[in-house]
Amino acid sequence: MKKYKPVSVPKAAFAFCRYSIAVLIWLSLIFHLKIILIFVLTIFVLSAILKVQKSPMVLFYSYTINKIIKSSDEILNEHAMRFAHIMGSIFSVICLFLLYFVSDQVGWVAVFIFALLKSISAFGFCPASKLYECATNDSCCVFIKKHD
C-alpha cells in the first residue's frame, strides 16, 4: 500500500472546499435543516470516490473563480484526503442516522461536534488527514507500530 501520493490542486480551491463544507454544516445546525447535511454527505461521498483533485467543490472553484483569479497550487496527499473524505462521509451518516432514527436532540449534538471538527479542519488542521498520516508513518502512533 502506498502511503503518500502527491496531487496538485489550486490552493484557493482547496480552501474554498474546506470553508464551504464547514459553513454548510454550521448552517444545517443553526437552521436544523437535515437536507443540508444530506448535501454535505453527497459532497463527501463524491469527493472520496472522485479523489480530491476532482472533488465537486474543487472542480466548481477551479472552473469558476479560479478562471478569473488564479491561485497557486498546493500539494496534498491523495490517500490522506480520500481517508478524510471517507471519515467525513461516515460522520455525516452517523449524524443523519441519529437525527432520523434516534432523536433530534442527540442528532443535533452530533452535528455540533461534526461542525466543530470540520471547522478545525477548515482552519488547516485536519484531524482525519493527520490520523491517516500518523497510522501510515513511523514518526507517530507508536502503540500501533509496535503491534503491526
Side-chain angles (χ1 to χ4, degrees), residues 3 130 133-143 145:
K3 297 177 186 177
K130 299 299 179 196
E133 290 172 2
C134 179
T136 60
N137 190 341
D138 291 333
S139 67
C140 65
C141 292
V142 176
F143 179 77
K145 294 300 173 188

Side-chain angles (χ1 to χ4, degrees), residues 18-71:
R18 292 189 326 254
Y19 296 137
S20 297
I21 297 296
V23 167
L24 287 170
I25 297 168
W26 281 109
L27 288 173
S28 174
L29 176 67
I30 292 165
F31 296 110
H32 285 208
L33 293 173
K34 297 172 190 173
I35 191 74
I36 296 175
L37 206 53
I38 292 169
F39 181 65
V40 167
L41 170 62
T42 304
I43 292 170
F44 272 127
V45 168
L46 288 172
S47 296
I49 293 168
L50 300 172
K51 303 177 185 173
V52 68
Q53 66 272 27
K54 293 182 182 171
S55 67
M57 301 299 273
V58 169
L59 285 180
F60 174 77
Y61 189 93
S62 296
Y63 288 114
T64 57
I65 299 167
N66 204 51
K67 293 288 185 190
I68 301 165
I69 305 167
K70 294 289 182 192
S71 168

Side-chain angles (χ1 to χ4, degrees), residues 82-103:
R82 177 174 265 182
F83 179 79
H85 290 137
I86 290 169
M87 294 304 293
S89 300
I90 291 169
F91 214 108
S92 299
V93 167
I94 290 169
C95 291
L96 288 165
F97 177 82
L98 293 172
L99 285 166
Y100 282 106
F101 300 109
V102 177
S103 82

